[in-house]
Amino acid sequence: MKVRLVFASALLICVSACKKESDPPPVAPLVATSPVTVSGGVATGGGEITDDGRSPITAAGLAWSSTNTAPTLADDTTKNALSGKTFTATIAGLEPSTTYYFRAYATNAVGTAYGEVVTVNTENGSPEARNTGIEGNANITNKIKATFTYFDHEGDAQAPGTYQWYVANDSTSGPGTAISGATDSIYTIPAADQGKFLRAAITPKAEGGSTTGAVAYTPWMGPIGGEPTSVTFMYNGEEVTYGIITSTTTGKKWLDRNLGAKQAATSPTDHLAYGDLFQWGRPADGHQLINWTSSTEGTPVNGTTETRFNSNIPNSSSFVITNAPPYDWVEPSNSNRWITQPMGPCPIGWHVPTESEWDAEGIEAITAIKLTNAGQRFFSGPVLLIGSNGLYWSSSGGGGTVQHFLVSSGGTPNVQTLSSGYSVRCIRD
């Protein structure tokens, strides 16, 4: 009995040992490369582990190269998580019109194995606008030019591209606003762009292949400087643009016409340059409007009233008729008008000139800033002295009388009642 037990134990030991010696050792895995597709410089592919080699897979992915026809881990690779026995990979940034070689790989404790090589050609590349910039001086009235270096992967010849200029208040807040009609490589900077920033969007084109490239932007240019040549502002409910004239006497900047004028004066009796006739210190509320029909004739547009207003900013277009002291259109009379609000009806950055500013111009103002003989609207209502006199308000005065500039008297400052209607010419602050 004892002998049989010993024999059985020995037999078990022999069977166990013989079984371990017959198991095959781990080997490198087997992996197959999946089809690879390319679109827009992005490749999508992957692989399948067909045999793990009896050892856990520690890495799997795609190896690829544009120079090595049998890419390995020494080339570019992806490392992807397995989903069962398969994996997928996405590779971006491939060069156009280039041959690439892909193959899947898998690694276990024994080593790395590769699948078959898949060869793919990327599509024709679009032209590119590189090294964008702007040439020229960043001042108004100057011409500036959008520039770039043309590049095409296949060497396709350059065709005329397209341009769009943009303007913004600064260079950080957003893409800017497209400038209507500014679709050439050259842009002439208008006065309205002063203090702002400019850039151009460039769309390159090629004569063949992929003809249109992606939009490329130049850096911002700005802030735009230089002396403006015109001013655009709202007057009497509509947008107007007036030129700027520099006095040859003082060097001061003046608007090139009276407020309300259709054009700058071609002569002192150019009725299209007469403009409107304001009561002193009053805003452009319609009371000042005159319909000029010739160098000697003009008719008020709106009616009159004999009632003085109780506000410096009346809600009316009526011209106030006065036939008795204090000859003012507002009651109580005060100097708290163009004095404390010197801009008056002028655009922002401009004002009704002071007495001293008129004095500095002197008689030369008649020609230096092209004054006209629009006459005056008398405080009792009629328009008089058309074609023979030019009378311009200053912002100095108040208390019933104010200085004005009389063209026909050789630029002599005179005193007149506040309810009279005179021309207004604005000077820059």
Side-chain angles (χ1 to χ4, degrees):
M1 188 69 176
K2 185 176 182 180
V3 173
R4 284 198 297 270
L5 290 174
V6 171
F7 174 78
S9 298
L11 180 61
L12 291 172
I13 294 171
C14 177
V15 171
S16 176
C18 292
K19 183 177 181 180
K20 290 181 180 179
E21 291 176 359
S22 64
D23 288 343
V27 295
L30 296 178
V31 59
T33 306
S34 302
V36 177
T37 60
V38 175
S39 177
V42 178
T44 302
E48 179 182 3
I49 309 298
T50 59
D51 190 332
D52 64 5
R54 296 179 299 282
S55 178
I57 300 299
T58 58
L62 281 180
W64 82 93
S65 174
S66 61
T67 57
N68 186 358
T69 58
T72 67
L73 296 181
D75 297 299
D76 290 314
T77 61
T78 66
K79 185 175 181 180
N80 301 86
L82 288 174
S83 177
K85 294 184 177 182
T86 63
F87 61 88
T88 59
T90 299
I91 303 163
L94 302 182
E95 293 291 328
S97 299
T98 303
T99 299
Y100 283 92
Y101 307 94
F102 299 86
R103 63 173 176 170
Y105 73 89
T107 302
N108 65 9
V110 177
T112 298
Y114 298 92
E116 62 277 17
V117 175
V118 175
T119 303
V120 175
N121 293 314
T122 54
E123 63 267 25
N124 184 286
S126 300
E128 298 178 14
R130 298 181 174 180
N131 304 317
T132 60
I134 300 177
E135 293 180 348
N137 193 306
N139 286 330
I140 60 172
T141 73
N142 288 335
K143 294 181 184 294
I144 55 177
K145 183 178 182 180
T147 62
F148 69 99
T149 302
Y150 174 81
F151 176 81
D152 188 86
H153 294 272
E154 296 75 37
D156 292 324
Q158 181 179 359
T162 60
Y163 300 85
Q164 176 61 63
W165 288 89
Y166 289 82
V167 63
N169 292 326
D170 56 61
S171 60
T172 61
S173 61
T177 301
I179 303 172
S180 177
T183 55
D184 190 79
S185 62
I186 296 175
Y187 177 66
T188 301
I189 307 174
D193 288 349
Q194 187 174 21
K196 297 184 179 181
F197 290 75
L198 298 169
R199 72 171 177 176
I202 303 169
T203 304
K205 291 189 176 181
E207 290 183 353
S210 296
T211 58
T212 302
V215 176
Y217 292 89
T218 67
W220 287 103
M221 169 184 272
I224 302 301
E227 283 292 330
T229 58
S230 65
V231 178
T232 299
F233 60 102
M234 296 300 297
Y235 178 76
N236 201 45
E238 64 180 58
E239 185 177 82
V240 297
T241 299
Y242 289 4
I244 297 173
I245 190 168
T246 302
S247 168
T248 55
T249 303
T250 64
K252 296 289 187 179
K253 303 293 182 181
W254 296 76
L255 292 185
D256 70 348
R257 69 198 71 179
N258 300 341
L259 285 181
K262 298 183 183 299
Q263 63 185 35
T266 58
S267 72
T269 55
D270 179 1
H271 71 282
L272 296 179
Y274 282 173
D276 297 330
L277 301 177
F278 286 80
Q279 295 185 303
W280 186 83
R282 191 166 172 182
D285 52 25
H287 80 283
Q288 78 283 4
L289 301 177
I290 305 293
N291 180 27
W292 301 107
T293 54
S294 74
S295 61
T296 57
E297 296 183 1
T299 304
V301 173
N302 294 310
T304 63
T305 181
E306 295 183 8
T307 303
R308 294 184 180 91
F309 298 109
N310 59 11
S311 169
N312 289 341
I313 305 177
N315 185 23
S316 174
S317 61
S318 297
F319 187 92
V320 177
I321 294 174
T322 59
N323 290 303
Y327 299 103
D328 200 349
W329 56 270
V330 66
E331 189 175 29
S333 182
N334 65 85
S335 60
N336 187 28
R337 285 174 257 184
W338 288 344
I339 305 299
T340 57
Q341 297 174 317
M343 181 178 69
C346 297
I348 295 174
W350 300 74
H351 64 274
V352 179
T354 64
E355 179 184 347
S356 60
E357 286 172 324
W358 277 123
D359 289 343
E361 296 292 344
I363 190 172
E364 289 80 7
I366 299 172
T367 56
I369 58 176
K370 299 181 179 180
L371 301 180
T372 60
N373 293 329
Q376 73 173 96
R377 191 169 184 185
F378 204 57
F379 55 78
S380 58
V383 181
L384 306 172
L385 305 176
I386 305 171
S388 62
N389 284 51
L391 299 100
Y392 288 81
W393 282 126
S394 80
S395 58
S396 304
T401 58
V402 68
Q403 292 284 355
H404 73 278
F405 191 80
L406 181 60
V407 172
S408 64
S409 296
T412 303
N414 288 271
V415 176
Q416 188 52 273
T417 57
L418 306 181
S419 56
S420 298
Y422 292 165
S423 301
V424 169
R425 180 68 68 90
C426 301
I427 188 172
R428 195 168 72 179
D429 294 352

